Amino acid sequence: MRSATLRLLENDPPTLLSVATAVPKHRLDQGEVVAMAPRLFDRARSDIDRLMPVFDNAGIATRYSCVPMDWYLQPHGWRERNQLYLDNAVELLTEAAEKALADAGRTPKDIAAVVVASTTGIATPSLDALLLNRLGLPPTVQRLPIFGLGCAGGVLGLGHAVALARGLDHGDVLFLAVELCALTFRHGDLSKSNIVAAALFGDGASAMVIGRPGSEGVRFGPSGAHTWPDSLDVMGWHVEDDGLGVLFSRDIPSLVRSDLRPASDAFLQRIGLTHADLAGFVCHPGGVKVLDALEEAFDLAPGTMQDARDVLREHGNMSAVTVLFVLQRMLRRGLTGRHMMTALGPGFTAGFQLLEA
């Protein structure tokens, strides 16, 4: 039986009016990255020779980067990296936001609040402030910049945007996410995590227009999160003099297999649902092994999450943005029924967001 809370939220929920995506102009072919990898890492001092199969087994054919391939062959400082982040993040978000507004049949003046999730650079004033004049948003717009959610930012940030939309008496919400993951590659970092990141990371942005209650479109249900105790070392960044150093635990796939299902069961139970009430899942594809683990955790046949695998193959891991690319692809294919969006990020945290088409 559905809880009274869920029935209340479903009476007049915020809706998804549109979703749009954008990628930078530099296309990285995985075969070219493989050929360049021995030049990126000192073969005498790193495990690059032993770890080369990571590039072939990543399930990635192409990715996009805001800088050309040869940029990665030289060291770069934090100031240069962050300026590239600011310039390219604003350009990509502008492109995605303009597409999303046009697709939704909205103008910037219709937006009452803007939420931006990003963890691959620092902006003060925040990215939403930088975009206010660029997009022509109203000076009264509510702004919520979110930093630090990493790969979970697409789902958790969306949950905050939906919550804002529920409380609006006028206007819609613009939810934006941008991650320039490839830009964080540090030439002098010989760690296994940096080698894995070099095989996985890509750049991209997404924009969604969320309609106030009463709007037509895919309906948003409740959202939730689960943070596991004593798990801060599973995923995140080390702030270094020359940029952000990536932190990956090799245990992430096993953690997904053993711990994600109980957390998602508990979330659904709180709102009066079970996994049997779901038509499917919209998941962040952190990597091939993580996708395999997700299918196991949710009792799905191997290869079921084909849209997530396709996004990973064509765009790589774009952190928070990736799950929004997956959602766009599933919507284009005619997604129907109640689905649960989920992503895992630093904390170590799982984010959940229900939607129904």
Side-chain angles (χ1 to χ4, degrees):
M1 179 181 294
R2 296 179 184 177
S3 67
T5 300
L6 181 58
R7 288 198 302 272
L8 176 63
L9 292 174
E10 289 185 336
N11 283 339
D12 198 15
T15 60
L16 175 59
L17 302 183
S18 65
V19 56
T21 57
V23 295
K25 65 180 180 180
H26 298 288
R27 182 176 179 271
L28 305 183
D29 180 85
Q30 190 76 335
E32 295 174 359
V33 177
V34 168
M36 192 174 71
R39 299 171 59 196
L40 294 173
F41 299 94
D42 187 323
R43 301 180 74 164
R45 296 189 298 124
S46 74
D47 286 334
I48 184 61
D49 288 332
R50 182 175 65 85
L51 294 174
M52 281 301 296
V54 169
F55 291 84
D56 292 326
N57 298 333
I60 295 170
T62 57
R63 290 174 277 168
Y64 293 85
S65 167
C66 64
V67 292
M69 185 89 79
D70 58 5
W71 184 90
Y72 299 101
L73 293 172
Q74 302 296 326
H76 302 277
W78 169 251
R79 182 174 180 175
E80 178 191 354
R81 292 176 187 276
N82 204 63
Q83 190 59 54
L84 284 168
Y85 165 82
L86 290 171
D87 294 343
N88 287 275
V90 169
E91 289 295 329
L92 290 172
L93 287 177
T94 298
E95 178 183 344
E98 289 177 344
K99 287 181 186 176
L101 288 167
D103 290 346
R106 296 293 199 259
T107 71
K109 296 187 184 305
D110 294 315
I111 301 301
V114 58
V115 178
V116 183
S118 187
T119 308
T120 44
I122 296 175
T124 308
S126 52
L127 291 173
D128 44 284
L130 299 177
L131 289 163
L132 193 146
N133 290 330
R134 183 81 173 260
L135 293 173
L137 297 173
T140 55
V141 71
Q142 297 183 52
R143 299 189 291 112
L144 176 60
I146 303 176
F147 176 84
L149 295 179
C151 295
V155 173
L156 293 175
L158 176 58
H160 288 296
V162 170
L164 265 177
R166 284 197 176 101
L168 293 176
D169 57 5
H170 72 285
D172 305 304
V173 176
L174 182 62
F175 173 54
L176 305 172
V178 61
E179 301 290 12
L180 305 183
C181 302
L183 189 61
T184 66
F185 174 80
R186 295 166 51 248
H187 186 267
D189 183 357
L190 304 179
S191 67
K192 179 180 178 180
S193 288
N194 196 40
I195 294 174
V196 173
L200 287 176
F201 278 163
D203 299 342
S206 182
M208 304 172 74
V209 178
I210 300 170
R212 72 207 80 168
S215 302
E216 296 294 326
V218 174
R219 296 153 29 116
F220 285 110
S223 60
H226 181 93
T227 300
W228 286 272
D230 303 318
S231 61
L232 297 177
D233 59 348
V234 173
M235 184 186 297
W237 298 122
H238 293 298
V239 179
E240 307 289 353
D241 290 340
D242 60 345
L244 299 172
V246 66
L247 168 64
F248 281 142
S249 169
R250 62 184 297 177
D251 297 327
I252 293 173
S254 63
L255 289 171
V256 172
R257 285 188 179 89
S258 62
D259 295 352
L260 181 59
R261 181 62 180 265
S264 64
D265 282 341
F267 162 66
L268 291 170
Q269 184 178 19
R270 288 195 297 273
I271 57 176
L273 297 175
T274 70
H275 277 79
D277 296 307
L278 301 176
F281 303 87
V282 184
C283 295
H284 166 62
V288 169
K289 290 183 179 179
V290 172
L291 279 169
D292 292 342
L294 285 166
E295 290 171 345
E296 247 184 84
F298 293 137
D299 295 327
L300 302 174
T304 299
M305 294 184 177
Q306 189 58 52
D307 291 296
R309 293 178 187 276
D310 289 344
V311 168
L312 181 67
R313 184 182 66 254
E314 296 171 15
H315 297 279
N317 183 337
M318 299 172 287
S319 189
V321 178
T322 325
V323 70
L324 306 177
F325 273 62
V326 176
L327 176 60
Q328 181 189 50
R329 185 178 293 255
M330 294 179 72
L331 288 168
R332 285 175 173 171
R333 286 203 309 107
L335 177 145
T336 58
R338 182 185 292 113
H339 284 66
M340 184 170 69
M341 296 181 67
T342 185
L344 295 154
F348 181 56
T349 300
F352 307 109
Q353 174 65 57
L354 288 186
L355 53 83
E356 184 167 2

